[in-house]
Amino acid sequence: TVLSKFGELKYVMLVKDQFTEQPRGTAFAQFKSRDAADACLEASEDPTLQQQQLSVDGRVMEVRRACARASGDSIIVPVKGKDNRNLYLAKEGFIREGTQAAVGVSTFDLHLRRQREKVKQKLLANLHMFMSPTRLCVNNLPPSLKDPQLRQLFKKHAPPKARVVESRVMRYMGDLDEKGVARSRCYGFVAFSRPEDALAALRTINNNPDIFTLQRRPIVEFSIENRSVVNRKKRLQQNGKTSKAKGTKAVPDGSSGGEAGQQQLSKRAPFAGFNAKKGDIKSGSKRIHKHLDHKVRHRDRGGAKGKGFSKKTGNKGGAKTKSGPKPKSAANKKKVKKYSKT
């Protein structure tokens, strides 16, 4: 519509990204006459005319004459480095207030999206963090949603041949309801086997008013992962595969191996105490245990005498010793009276 002011057009083609299928901010346009193309170029050279005639949604276009494909290959600027962290996926699915996608979105959802962006920027400042192309982070979930329901939701809105390899709702493990189920954190993770399936599901479910409620819409974005953690998981999986291929089970350190060793590890004596495992103590830690004194259990508090342990006396039930408390001397009694008068 903007370019047709200068003359009749033959075609207009937007350049889109091959993976995300989103416009890259450039386009090609061909006029039917050379005079129309020259008039468009003259308007782009004049700042006043450029602001008035070449403005699209508040943005001023920069117009240049296109070169032939053969000569264009020789002037391409080589890209410096590669996006090994997939940072381009950080913008996928963001709803900005004031845009068409934000129409009807509640204030709470917009605020939550802004908070998520701030957290995302802080995490990506670490060079070990990267955007996973197959794992999605889903926020604003209903408290009653469970893992199978989350899997079914994404499988329904994903391509037919998509395969969901992970579906998990994060929960407060220390906060249980009446049925003994941990309370939901209202966010979770869903992983696909292929990046294109994850992208298709994100674009279908994210900010969809028909999924949950109109005022509470799902917030779907690509998950931020730690490369060192992912590599460690891969090594553990690879070690498990190699042990299964050899036909032997991985035996923990300190065991005798074989079935006898496994049975010995499974039978734990009541006096054995803490079972240490290799890798429990991190490098650089100053101490092994945080608490070395007696462990006071909440179930023993307020019980009958003879149960529990008293820190003051060191005896069970808080009983006093036979000798009793030491009597105060006469000098100490006089001091007490003297200070009490003053």
Side-chain angles (χ1 to χ4, degrees):
T1 303
V2 175
L3 296 179
S4 60
K5 301 175 183 177
F6 303 97
E8 192 175 356
L9 288 163
K10 187 176 181 180
Y11 71 87
V12 173
M13 181 182 66
L14 293 174
V15 180
K16 296 184 178 182
D17 188 87
Q18 296 182 358
F19 183 75
T20 62
E21 298 181 358
Q22 294 293 324
R24 300 180 63 178
T26 58
F28 289 94
Q30 184 177 2
F31 291 92
K32 289 187 176 182
S33 63
R34 188 180 184 87
D35 296 337
D38 294 340
C40 183
L41 290 171
E42 291 177 1
S44 64
E45 295 175 359
D46 189 352
T48 305
L49 295 177
Q50 186 181 18
Q51 184 71 26
Q52 295 176 356
Q53 301 181 8
L54 293 175
S55 180
V56 180
D57 294 337
R59 294 189 177 187
V60 181
M61 294 188 298
E62 297 180 1
V63 183
R64 300 175 184 175
R65 191 181 299 275
C67 59
R69 186 180 294 272
S71 60
D73 296 337
S74 60
I75 63 174
I76 293 178
V77 179
V79 180
K80 296 181 180 180
K82 295 182 180 180
D83 187 9
N84 295 326
R85 298 201 292 157
N86 303 324
L87 296 180
Y88 68 97
L89 296 177
K91 297 182 179 180
E92 181 67 33
F94 177 64
I95 307 298
R96 187 175 182 181
E97 190 175 1
T99 59
Q100 186 178 1
V103 176
V105 181
S106 63
T107 307
F108 174 78
D109 286 3
L110 292 175
H111 175 72
L112 183 58
R113 287 182 179 274
R114 287 193 297 267
Q115 294 297 324
R116 289 294 308 162
E117 289 298 318
K118 292 179 181 179
V119 173
K120 192 185 300 182
Q121 292 177 2
K122 291 182 180 180
L123 290 176
L124 292 178
N126 186 354
L127 298 180
H128 291 281
M129 299 294 183
F130 71 98
M131 304 296 299
S132 174
T134 56
R135 197 166 187 244
L136 301 175
C137 180
V138 192
N139 287 272
N140 217 12
L141 295 175
S144 60
L145 192 70
K146 298 181 180 179
D147 295 351
Q149 298 174 350
L150 183 62
R151 176 185 290 270
Q152 190 64 26
L153 173 65
F154 274 81
K155 202 170 184 180
K156 177 181 177 182
H157 292 84
K161 295 184 179 180
R163 187 167 66 92
V164 180
V165 296
E166 179 191 4
S167 174
R168 183 185 307 174
V169 178
M170 307 307 294
R171 300 182 179 277
Y172 295 100
M173 302 310 297
D175 189 1
L176 305 179
D177 58 4
E178 299 176 353
K179 298 181 180 179
V181 181
R183 188 165 60 89
S184 173
R185 291 176 177 259
C186 297
Y187 79 93
F189 295 94
V190 178
F192 289 86
S193 59
R194 299 186 302 177
E196 52 268 24
D197 297 337
L199 182 63
L202 184 149
R203 294 180 177 175
T204 307
I205 299 177
N206 182 44
N207 200 37
N208 191 336
D210 300 330
I211 299 294
F212 300 140
T213 60
L214 187 62
Q215 298 298 322
R216 185 173 187 145
R217 304 183 184 185
I219 301 176
V220 188
E221 56 190 6
F222 283 98
S223 176
I224 301 176
E225 305 291 338
N226 192 327
R227 195 174 299 277
S228 59
V229 176
V230 173
N231 293 337
R232 184 164 64 250
K233 289 182 179 179
K234 289 182 179 179
R235 289 195 298 268
L236 292 175
Q237 292 177 359
Q238 189 66 24
N239 293 337
K241 290 180 181 179
T242 53
S243 61
K244 289 181 180 179
K246 292 180 181 180
T248 58
K249 296 183 180 180
V251 180
D253 295 339
S255 64
S256 58
E259 295 181 359
Q262 294 294 335
Q263 293 178 1
Q264 183 179 356
L265 289 175
S266 60
K267 295 180 180 179
R268 179 183 176 183
F271 52 84
F274 181 80
N275 284 355
K277 296 180 181 179
K278 187 177 181 180
D280 284 344
I281 305 173
K282 298 180 180 179
S283 59
S285 59
K286 296 182 179 179
R287 52 185 178 179
I288 300 175
H289 297 286
K290 294 183 179 180
H291 305 286
L292 296 177
D293 55 351
H294 180 75
K295 184 175 181 180
V296 180
R297 298 186 180 275
H298 295 278
R299 67 189 182 196
D300 296 335
R301 293 183 178 179
K305 291 184 178 181
K307 296 182 179 180
F309 190 91
S310 175
K311 286 187 177 181
K312 295 182 179 179
T313 60
N315 298 324
K316 289 185 178 181
K320 296 181 180 180
T321 57
K322 294 182 179 179
S323 59
K326 295 181 179 180
K328 295 182 180 180
S329 60
N332 291 337
K333 290 182 179 180
K334 291 181 179 179
K335 288 181 180 180
V336 172
K337 292 181 179 180
K338 182 177 180 182
Y339 287 121
S340 62
K341 289 181 181 180
T342 56

